Amino acid sequence: MTLQRRVFLSIYLYSEKLNKYYVGSCIDLDRRLYEHNTGHSKFTSLGMPWIAAYKKEYSTVLEARRRELVIKK
């Protein structure tokens, strides 16, 4: 039996329509893109389609969220 290591991501999603980046963190990039591209929130529905522009893997959620906060500053 192989144990899978859980990976936490900090991400940049890009909207060409808005010419803006969305910065966040997640554990499932495909799900996050799906949510943003199906109108999950009012803001992200304005920028569809969103594409993954950057991702970085971290071993803990705390590391991923810290990086997200540094980027947002």
Side-chain angles (χ1 to χ4, degrees):
M1 180 175 167
T2 304
L3 294 176
Q4 287 188 317
R5 181 177 70 95
R6 189 168 216 183
V7 176
F8 302 91
L9 304 168
S10 64
I11 58 170
Y12 284 14
L13 303 182
Y14 178 71
S15 165
E16 186 175 320
K17 182 177 179 181
L18 298 176
N19 193 31
K20 290 191 181 277
Y21 286 92
Y22 169 90
V23 177
S25 56
C26 66
I27 58 172
D28 185 340
L29 180 56
D30 291 332
R31 189 192 76 195
R32 180 58 69 93
L33 276 171
Y34 174 79
E35 289 171 350
H36 285 283
N37 286 321
T38 56
H40 182 71
S41 78
K42 185 171 181 155
F43 170 74
T44 60
S45 68
L46 298 173
M48 294 186 294
W50 292 88
I51 60 167
Y54 171 83
K55 72 176 183 176
K56 177 152 175 137
E57 294 183 359
Y58 295 91
S59 58
T60 69
V61 69
L62 184 59
E63 290 174 310
R65 294 231 169 110
R66 280 183 179 158
R67 181 63 183 151
E68 174 187 346
L69 292 174
V70 167
I71 294 166
K72 286 181 174 180
K73 283 186 179 184

